[in-house]
């Protein structure tokens, strides 16, 4: 597929377009140039070309449910409004049985995945996190458990004294099937220091996923953008993920997460622009040539921009979620969840084919 998108495009953009048409890998300099360009239509159409080459017109979604066992956290990341200190008003730590009751009261028909993340609560032992999965797996054996970020896995090694591999194997025995993508933020130790990301550093984040992939797990990965990082930081982040994917081929999807302000009433100037969100999704698709899917996360960018993103390189519209808490604690003004019908409508409205999937992108039903 080769399309002349903009006959007046500059020489550098034309060179990048030629690379894309020929399936050549983009460089750090290419990615930074794309961020600096205001030719968003060319960038979007190039990303659309790559996505159509990989996925055709199919856009994937899943019936899932987000669960949060605890919001108590030892870390004090500058961007987080979800965390609480032990004993602080609003703090909680649910037992496995308490979470089972919550699920029974709130689950919707068709849910096939639990998406589990939470705080780094050092007031409970590692066994607490193991038992949490055991309880869910016992009561809901047919629902896939996708749980914990790489940063949480690193935290578990510290409170247990176990290695990354030992922690992962223990959790696998408890029912863990895949890791969530969170905790990546921006893969720059300088950024992590400035933003007080006092959890897994860059090497540990990547090592957790590397180890999970070696154990046969396929995982997700993210990038939280829109604070102090530079365009070069973002592209470097993508390249580090791309290099690990070259090594392991274990990532299923890359999820750009648009930074949310700490107040729902924050002005428009405190939020990423729609222009920046669409450009980041498109550049992610162009840079990450070895990852099948880029996710448009409606929780952070809204449903209508998610719909637009499906022609800017995104091939995943996430899932039903039921009730999201982390981004909404940080000021998101989007829906806390969507129904299957709404997701199908959203995808069809972009002229795409909705495909209900499982955690591993196996197709459950295609809605032609």
């Amino acid at each position: 597929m080769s399309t002349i998108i903009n006959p007046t495009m500059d020489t550098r953009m034309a060179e990048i377009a030629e690379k894309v048409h020929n399936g050549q890998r983009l460089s750090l300099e290419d990615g930074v140039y794309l961020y600096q360009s205001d030719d968003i239509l060319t960038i979007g159409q190039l990303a659309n070309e790559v996505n159509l080459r990989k996925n055709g017109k199919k856009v994937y979604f899943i019936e899932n449910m987000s669960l949060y066992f605890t919001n108590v956290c030892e870390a004090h990341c500058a961007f987080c409004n979800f965390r609480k200190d032990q004993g602080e008003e609003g703090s909680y730590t649910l037992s496995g049985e308490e979470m089972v009751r919550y699920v029974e009261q709130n689950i919707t028909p068709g849910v096939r995945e639990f998406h589990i993340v939470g705080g780094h609560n050092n007031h409970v032992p590692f066994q607490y996190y193991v038992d949490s999965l055991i309880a869910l797996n016992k009561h809901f054996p047919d629902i896939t458990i996708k749980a914990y970020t790489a940063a949480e896995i690193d935290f578990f090694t510290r409170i247990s004294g176990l290695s990354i591999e030992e922690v992962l194997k223990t959790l696998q025995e408890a029912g863990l099937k895949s890791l969530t993508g969170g905790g990546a933020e921006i893969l720059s130790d300088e950024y992590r220091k400035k933003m007080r990301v006092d959890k897994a550093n860059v090497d540990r984040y990547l090592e957790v996923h590397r180890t999970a992939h070696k154990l046969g797990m396929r995982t997700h990965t993210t990038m939280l953008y829109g604070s102090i990082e530079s365009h070069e930081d973002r592209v470097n982040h993508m390249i580090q993920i791309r290099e690990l994917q070259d090594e392991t081929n274990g990532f299923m999807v890359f999820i750009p997460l648009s930074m949310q302000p700490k107040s729902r009433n924050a002005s428009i100037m405190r939020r990423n622009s729609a222009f920046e969100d669409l450009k980041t999704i498109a550049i992610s698709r162009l840079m990450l040539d070895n990852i099948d899917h880029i996710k448009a996360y409606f929780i952070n960018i809204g449903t209508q921009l998610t719909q637009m993103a499906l022609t800017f390189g995104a091939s995943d519209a996430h899932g039903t979620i039921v009730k999201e808490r982390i981004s909404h604690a940080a000021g998101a003004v989007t829906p806390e969840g969507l129904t299957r019908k709404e997701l199908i409508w959203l995808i069809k409205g972009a002229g795409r084919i909705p495909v209900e999937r499982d955690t591993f992108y196996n197709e459950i039903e295609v809605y032609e």
Side-chain angles (χ1 to χ4, degrees), residues 116-117 120 147-154 179-183 205 208-209:
I116 303 168
V117 293
H120 298 193
Y148 306 136
T149 66
E152 286 174 274
I153 300 300
D154 177 66
L179 296 182
T180 68
Y205 180 89
V208 168
H209 281 282

Side-chain angles (χ1 to χ4, degrees), residues 304-366:
Q304 290 176 303
L305 200 58
T306 292
Q307 192 175 54
M308 288 292 296
L310 303 183
T311 57
F312 277 71
S315 58
D316 189 303
H318 197 52
T320 51
I321 299 176
V322 180
K323 185 177 178 64
E324 195 278 340
R325 295 185 186 178
I326 292 178
S327 290
H328 285 87
V333 293
T334 54
E336 293 179 327
L338 292 174
T339 65
R340 179 200 275 124
K341 274 188 174 181
E342 288 171 327
L343 282 165
I344 291 170
W345 176 89
L346 183 149
I347 294 166
K348 284 188 172 181
R352 300 293 159 124
I353 301 168
V355 180
E356 186 174 355
R357 64 173 176 85
D358 67 9
T359 299
F360 307 102
Y361 287 85
N362 296 307
E363 297 182 4
I364 305 302
E365 185 167 355
V366 179

Side-chain angles (χ1 to χ4, degrees), residues 254-317:
F254 180 78
I255 311 158
L257 297 173
S258 184
M259 179 78 77
Q260 302 298 301
K262 286 195 173 184
S263 169
R264 292 174 66 89
N265 299 318
S267 75
I268 188 173
M269 292 183 290
R270 298 297 300 274
R271 299 175 183 275
N272 286 321
S273 68
F275 195 89
E276 192 75 2
D277 288 333
L278 284 177
K279 188 187 284 189
T280 296
I281 286 169
I283 293 171
S284 299
R285 178 63 286 163
L286 292 168
M287 293 300 301
L288 294 165
D289 51 46
N290 55 2
I291 293 180
D292 287 339
H293 301 286
I294 305 296
K295 181 177 291 187
Y297 190 51
F298 71 82
I299 289 294
N300 284 26
I301 66 173
T303 51
Q304 290 176 303
L305 200 58
T306 292
Q307 192 175 54
M308 288 292 296
L310 303 183
T311 57
F312 277 71
S315 58
D316 189 303

Side-chain angles (χ1 to χ4, degrees), residues 75-117:
H76 292 80
C77 303
F79 46 77
C80 183
N81 206 40
F82 173 75
R83 70 160 307 279
K84 300 286 185 184
D85 289 322
Q86 177 83 338
E88 182 181 350
E89 183 179 355
S91 65
Y92 65 87
T93 301
L94 302 180
S95 68
E97 292 305 317
E98 286 173 322
M99 184 58 78
V100 166
R101 288 196 292 274
Y102 170 83
V103 172
E104 289 173 340
Q105 293 166 4
N106 293 277
I107 196 168
T108 57
V111 165
R112 62 183 71 254
E113 174 190 277
F114 290 135
H115 176 104
I116 303 168
V117 293

